[in-house]
Amino acid sequence: RHYGLATDNLLELELVNWEGVQLTVNNVTNPDLFWALRGGGAGSFGIVTEMTFKVHKAPRAVVIGDVGYDFKDFGQVYTAWQKWLASEPPSHVGMWGSFGATYIGFQFFSMVQDPVEGAVELAAILATWLPPPSSPPTIRSVDYPDWIVEAAQSYTSNPLTAPADLVNVTQLAPPRWVKIKSFFVDKFIAEPEIAELQALLLEMAQHVGLVVEQYGGAIAKVAERETAFIHRDRKSTRLNSSHITI
């Protein structure tokens, strides 16, 4: 949300097309492909062999706030989350939420230069949420490189202690069969729809989980037709449904 999507920061790429021809693709050379490759579907236009991205100054730290709720409060929590999105939160604050059959967990993260100010800001956000959480929220600050390592650790059983170790991330750990489907919702859903979503999760509790992510921020500042990715509205959210098959 702070820097936009990876595709919004793509400057150029090299691609081998269906005829085996290597192409340079950017805003000037093959601009139609450049438009399509930024959100038009995986593997549809050729094999990408190289990408050049715009880079940004890294934040000093990431302030992380974790808060949990009982599943019975699903409706109130989902409604509170949507109200927070409607308030147009600052782009440097992101969030993802995980909904299971017994527990709801939200994690906020703020990319900042001043971790003290970031912690105060995040505490103020968490204090506005209803209903009261099932346990007190926790807030901690992590240096940005350490946060990258921490985020990557869930993808591997190899211990990661520094960014250089990221080359060791090769597969999910532990290996498991999981089907994940993402749905984009470009509106705030109403109370009956929230209740229906809660009922579906409860019905399939043993096999299905739901993760929600919000868009907006810098993502919404890119014109809808500037790239092939169209979910730019500040109300856009991504629902990730994971189905454990084995």
Side-chain angles (χ1 to χ4, degrees), residues 185-186 213-216 231-238:
V185 180
D186 294 325
E213 301 173 88
Q214 93 282 17
Y215 277 27
H231 302 285
R232 300 285 181 181
D233 191 276
R234 65 179 177 82
K235 295 182 290 187
S236 292
T237 59
R238 186 171 72 176

Side-chain angles (χ1 to χ4, degrees), residues 79-139:
T79 299
W81 172 58
Q82 291 192 139
K83 287 182 178 179
W84 182 69
L85 295 183
S87 72
E88 299 190 23
S91 64
H92 63 272
V93 179
M95 184 281 303
W96 68 274
S98 178
F99 294 83
T102 59
Y103 185 76
I104 301 170
F106 275 87
Q107 184 173 91
F108 293 81
F109 46 93
S110 179
M111 299 185 179
V112 295
Q113 298 301 332
D114 186 332
V116 175
E117 288 186 3
V120 171
E121 178 185 42
L122 214 54
I125 290 173
L126 295 177
T128 64
W129 275 57
L130 291 174
S134 56
S135 58
T138 61
I139 297 177

Side-chain angles (χ1 to χ4, degrees), residues 146 149 153 158-165:
D146 294 334
V149 172
Q153 185 62 76
N158 298 326
L160 304 176
T161 58
D165 296 334

